[in-house]
Amino acid sequence: MTDLADWIAVQRPPAPPPLASWLAREVGGRGLSAAELMGAGVRALERARPGRTRESAFELLGADALITHACGAALDEQDPAGVLTGFIRAAAAAHR
């Protein structure tokens, strides 16, 4: 399990307050597994709509943060390559 809030807090430059708030609403302060982070990231990608809207921008930025953190967390798993391969397959399947 990994704590998204702790990870976001140490990133530099820091996340803009609205994005940090979006992430907190999306996953809360609880620890999440790499797979849960990836799932949240894929769901955010699915919600993003084409066009120049602030809401879509936060979905894309949030998806990026969640997926980036999921990939980092996957490195702590017993089979990182297998977990990352599963992530790629899940993301591809969500966009067919």
Side-chain angles (χ1 to χ4, degrees):
M1 294 291 211
T2 183
D3 190 332
L4 183 64
D6 288 347
W7 179 76
I8 292 169
V10 298
Q11 299 306 301
R12 296 294 176 254
L19 179 59
S21 295
W22 181 95
L23 289 165
R25 280 192 318 273
E26 188 67 22
V27 298
R30 63 190 174 92
L32 299 172
S33 69
E36 289 171 317
L37 288 164
M38 185 64 181
V42 169
R43 286 189 300 279
L45 280 177
E46 290 171 342
R47 287 190 305 268
R49 300 284 181 246
R52 295 182 163 197
T53 67
R54 188 172 183 86
E55 190 173 301
S56 285
F58 281 125
E59 296 292 346
L60 291 172
L61 288 170
D64 176 60
L66 291 164
I67 292 170
T68 297
H69 189 42
C71 290
L75 299 177
D76 294 332
E77 299 286 337
Q78 188 172 0
D79 178 17
V83 172
L84 291 168
T85 299
F87 287 173
I88 292 168
R89 288 187 179 134
H95 295 285
R96 286 187 186 175

PDB file of all heavy atoms in Angstrom, residues 2 18 33 46-47 50 53-54 61 73 87 94-95:
ATOM      1  N   THR A   2       0.400   2.267  -0.643  1.00  0.00           N
ATOM      2  CA  THR A   2       1.157   3.496  -0.732  1.00  0.00           C
ATOM      3  C   THR A   2       0.233   4.686  -0.485  1.00  0.00           C
ATOM      4  O   THR A   2      -0.924   4.653  -0.863  1.00  0.00           O
ATOM      5  CB  THR A   2       1.859   3.582  -2.103  1.00  0.00           C
ATOM      6  OG1 THR A   2       2.643   4.751  -2.137  1.00  0.00           O
ATOM      7  CG2 THR A   2       0.886   3.567  -3.248  1.00  0.00           C
ATOM      8  N   PRO A  18      -5.558  23.392  -6.647  1.00  0.00           N
ATOM      9  CA  PRO A  18      -6.766  22.742  -7.175  1.00  0.00           C
ATOM     10  C   PRO A  18      -6.524  21.278  -7.574  1.00  0.00           C
ATOM     11  O   PRO A  18      -7.393  20.433  -7.382  1.00  0.00           O
ATOM     12  CB  PRO A  18      -7.142  23.589  -8.390  1.00  0.00           C
ATOM     13  CG  PRO A  18      -6.514  24.915  -8.142  1.00  0.00           C
ATOM     14  CD  PRO A  18      -5.238  24.596  -7.399  1.00  0.00           C
ATOM     15  N   SER A  33      -3.081   0.361  -3.123  1.00  0.00           N
ATOM     16  CA  SER A  33      -2.151  -0.527  -3.819  1.00  0.00           C
ATOM     17  C   SER A  33      -1.827   0.074  -5.177  1.00  0.00           C
ATOM     18  O   SER A  33      -2.530   0.970  -5.680  1.00  0.00           O
ATOM     19  CB  SER A  33      -2.783  -1.910  -4.005  1.00  0.00           C
ATOM     20  OG  SER A  33      -3.846  -1.842  -4.935  1.00  0.00           O
ATOM     21  N   GLU A  46     -10.769   8.094 -18.594  1.00  0.00           N
ATOM     22  CA  GLU A  46     -12.059   7.840 -19.236  1.00  0.00           C
ATOM     23  C   GLU A  46     -13.015   9.022 -19.069  1.00  0.00           C
ATOM     24  O   GLU A  46     -13.853   9.264 -19.937  1.00  0.00           O
ATOM     25  CB  GLU A  46     -12.686   6.571 -18.670  1.00  0.00           C
ATOM     26  CG  GLU A  46     -11.948   5.319 -19.087  1.00  0.00           C
ATOM     27  CD  GLU A  46     -12.411   4.064 -18.367  1.00  0.00           C
ATOM     28  OE1 GLU A  46     -13.067   4.175 -17.305  1.00  0.00           O
ATOM     29  OE2 GLU A  46     -12.115   2.975 -18.866  1.00  0.00           O
ATOM     30  N   ARG A  47     -12.900   9.762 -17.981  1.00  0.00           N
ATOM     31  CA  ARG A  47     -13.789  10.893 -17.738  1.00  0.00           C
ATOM     32  C   ARG A  47     -13.375  12.150 -18.497  1.00  0.00           C
ATOM     33  O   ARG A  47     -14.180  13.059 -18.680  1.00  0.00           O
ATOM     34  CB  ARG A  47     -13.852  11.219 -16.247  1.00  0.00           C
ATOM     35  CG  ARG A  47     -14.631  10.217 -15.438  1.00  0.00           C
ATOM     36  CD  ARG A  47     -14.860  10.727 -14.025  1.00  0.00           C
ATOM     37  NE  ARG A  47     -13.636  11.101 -13.339  1.00  0.00           N
ATOM     38  CZ  ARG A  47     -12.920  10.287 -12.559  1.00  0.00           C
ATOM     39  NH1 ARG A  47     -13.304   9.040 -12.368  1.00  0.00           N
ATOM     40  NH2 ARG A  47     -11.830  10.721 -11.960  1.00  0.00           N
ATOM     41  N   PRO A  50     -12.630  15.602 -24.708  1.00  0.00           N
ATOM     42  CA  PRO A  50     -11.854  16.459 -25.613  1.00  0.00           C
ATOM     43  C   PRO A  50     -12.296  17.916 -25.485  1.00  0.00           C
ATOM     44  O   PRO A  50     -13.449  18.202 -25.177  1.00  0.00           O
ATOM     45  CB  PRO A  50     -12.192  15.914 -27.006  1.00  0.00           C
ATOM     46  CG  PRO A  50     -12.725  14.544 -26.774  1.00  0.00           C
ATOM     47  CD  PRO A  50     -13.366  14.569 -25.406  1.00  0.00           C
ATOM     48  N   THR A  53     -11.366  22.428 -21.526  1.00  0.00           N
ATOM     49  CA  THR A  53     -12.131  22.733 -20.320  1.00  0.00           C
ATOM     50  C   THR A  53     -11.238  22.489 -19.121  1.00  0.00           C
ATOM     51  O   THR A  53     -10.395  21.592 -19.122  1.00  0.00           O
ATOM     52  CB  THR A  53     -13.395  21.860 -20.200  1.00  0.00           C
ATOM     53  OG1 THR A  53     -12.992  20.507 -19.991  1.00  0.00           O
ATOM     54  CG2 THR A  53     -14.265  21.954 -21.446  1.00  0.00           C
ATOM     55  N   ARG A  54     -11.431  23.277 -18.108  1.00  0.00           N
ATOM     56  CA  ARG A  54     -10.638  23.147 -16.881  1.00  0.00           C
ATOM     57  C   ARG A  54     -10.865  21.786 -16.238  1.00  0.00           C
ATOM     58  O   ARG A  54      -9.940  21.149 -15.749  1.00  0.00           O
ATOM     59  CB  ARG A  54     -10.997  24.277 -15.919  1.00  0.00           C
ATOM     60  CG  ARG A  54     -10.112  24.357 -14.715  1.00  0.00           C
ATOM     61  CD  ARG A  54     -10.436  25.647 -13.943  1.00  0.00           C
ATOM     62  NE  ARG A  54      -9.583  25.818 -12.816  1.00  0.00           N
ATOM     63  CZ  ARG A  54      -8.392  26.395 -12.850  1.00  0.00           C
ATOM     64  NH1 ARG A  54      -7.923  26.858 -13.981  1.00  0.00           N
ATOM     65  NH2 ARG A  54      -7.675  26.515 -11.748  1.00  0.00           N
ATOM     66  N   LEU A  61      -4.493  15.761 -15.787  1.00  0.00           N
ATOM     67  CA  LEU A  61      -3.383  15.941 -14.846  1.00  0.00           C
ATOM     68  C   LEU A  61      -3.468  14.937 -13.696  1.00  0.00           C
ATOM     69  O   LEU A  61      -2.456  14.374 -13.269  1.00  0.00           O
ATOM     70  CB  LEU A  61      -3.373  17.365 -14.292  1.00  0.00           C
ATOM     71  CG  LEU A  61      -2.946  18.456 -15.262  1.00  0.00           C
ATOM     72  CD1 LEU A  61      -3.221  19.831 -14.668  1.00  0.00           C
ATOM     73  CD2 LEU A  61      -1.482  18.300 -15.625  1.00  0.00           C
ATOM     74  N   ALA A  73       4.935   2.704  -7.635  1.00  0.00           N
ATOM     75  CA  ALA A  73       4.557   1.724  -6.610  1.00  0.00           C
ATOM     76  C   ALA A  73       4.721   0.300  -7.129  1.00  0.00           C
ATOM     77  O   ALA A  73       5.035  -0.611  -6.358  1.00  0.00           O
ATOM     78  CB  ALA A  73       3.119   1.973  -6.161  1.00  0.00           C
ATOM     79  N   PHE A  87      -0.754  -3.187 -16.208  1.00  0.00           N
ATOM     80  CA  PHE A  87      -1.220  -1.806 -16.280  1.00  0.00           C
ATOM     81  C   PHE A  87      -1.419  -1.381 -17.739  1.00  0.00           C
ATOM     82  O   PHE A  87      -2.413  -0.749 -18.088  1.00  0.00           O
ATOM     83  CB  PHE A  87      -0.221  -0.849 -15.632  1.00  0.00           C
ATOM     84  CG  PHE A  87      -0.164  -0.905 -14.130  1.00  0.00           C
ATOM     85  CD1 PHE A  87       0.804  -0.190 -13.462  1.00  0.00           C
ATOM     86  CD2 PHE A  87      -1.055  -1.655 -13.389  1.00  0.00           C
ATOM     87  CE1 PHE A  87       0.876  -0.205 -12.086  1.00  0.00           C
ATOM     88  CE2 PHE A  87      -0.993  -1.688 -12.013  1.00  0.00           C
ATOM     89  CZ  PHE A  87      -0.023  -0.960 -11.356  1.00  0.00           C
ATOM     90  N   ALA A  94      -9.234  -0.216 -21.751  1.00  0.00           N
ATOM     91  CA  ALA A  94     -10.189   0.825 -21.389  1.00  0.00           C
ATOM     92  C   ALA A  94     -10.440   1.796 -22.544  1.00  0.00           C
ATOM     93  O   ALA A  94     -11.439   2.496 -22.545  1.00  0.00           O
ATOM     94  CB  ALA A  94      -9.697   1.586 -20.174  1.00  0.00           C
ATOM     95  N   HIS A  95      -9.573   1.805 -23.524  1.00  0.00           N
ATOM     96  CA  HIS A  95      -9.689   2.776 -24.617  1.00  0.00           C
ATOM     97  C   HIS A  95      -9.929   2.133 -25.968  1.00  0.00           C
ATOM     98  O   HIS A  95      -9.573   2.676 -26.993  1.00  0.00           O
ATOM     99  CB  HIS A  95      -8.464   3.681 -24.634  1.00  0.00           C
ATOM    100  CG  HIS A  95      -8.397   4.513 -23.415  1.00  0.00           C
ATOM    101  ND1 HIS A  95      -9.205   5.600 -23.213  1.00  0.00           N
ATOM    102  CD2 HIS A  95      -7.670   4.372 -22.274  1.00  0.00           C
ATOM    103  CE1 HIS A  95      -8.965   6.111 -22.032  1.00  0.00           C
ATOM    104  NE2 HIS A  95      -8.043   5.390 -21.449  1.00  0.00           N
TER     105      HIS A  95
END
